[in-house]
Amino acid sequence: EVQLVESGGGSALAGGSLTLSCTVSGFRIGGSDVAWYRQAPGDNCDLVASSSREGVPYYPDSMKGRVTISRDNANNVINLQMNSLKPQDTAVYYCAVVWGGEGEGHYSGSCPLLWYKYWGQGTQVTVST
């Protein structure tokens, strides 16, 4: 069974930093696309960062310069470093692995999305002023 467990969430002050980690079991992430998404109350599930199977990162324009995705294939861990936090970063953050989901689902709206096959349960990040 594939399991993804996010950790490192919590409360932070605006301008601060947090590092989230995603530990994957039951599947080797080496050679797989991986990603971090987030969803705030009432909002859609949005991509925060992704890393291709070759390890090439991608960041939406809204996140460039503030987040860094990294992966430790040997230990099956995906990290997300977030800097210069803003209250608008408050959301549940999800990690996801393996490009392409299966079965019923959706490609926009609430997490999880069919862009990725396996998802974690999420970790809450709350940023206050």
Side-chain angles (χ1 to χ4, degrees), residues 16-40:
S17 300
L18 276 178
T19 299
L20 307 183
S21 294
C22 174
T23 301
V24 182
S25 60
F27 178 81
R28 302 300 303 176
I29 66 171
S32 175
D33 299 296
V34 302
W36 284 94
Y37 282 79
R38 71 182 184 184
Q39 186 168 16

Side-chain angles (χ1 to χ4, degrees), residues 9-121:
S11 298
L13 293 176
S17 300
L18 276 178
T19 299
L20 307 183
S21 294
C22 174
T23 301
V24 182
S25 60
F27 178 81
R28 302 300 303 176
I29 66 171
S32 175
D33 299 296
V34 302
W36 284 94
Y37 282 79
R38 71 182 184 184
Q39 186 168 16
D43 286 351
N44 291 324
C45 185
D46 292 325
L47 178 67
V48 177
S50 65
S51 173
S52 71
R53 60 192 67 189
E54 296 84 9
V56 178
Y58 169 79
Y59 306 102
D61 288 343
S62 59
M63 306 307 302
K64 283 181 181 177
R66 294 202 302 122
V67 300
T68 302
I69 188 171
S70 61
R71 55 194 299 167
D72 180 350
N73 291 339
N75 291 303
N76 251 19
V77 175
I78 308 156
N79 296 311
L80 182 71
Q81 171 73 38
M82 300 190 294
N83 301 316
S84 302
L85 288 167
K86 306 174 182 179
Q88 303 94 299
D89 294 320
T90 295
V92 178
Y93 285 71
Y94 300 87
C95 62
V97 301
V98 184
W99 179 256
E102 301 173 346
E104 296 185 3
H106 46 269
Y107 290 94
S108 64
S110 295
C111 297
L113 304 177
L114 279 176
W115 297 113
Y116 286 85
K117 185 175 182 179
Y118 301 111
W119 291 70
Q121 291 300 307

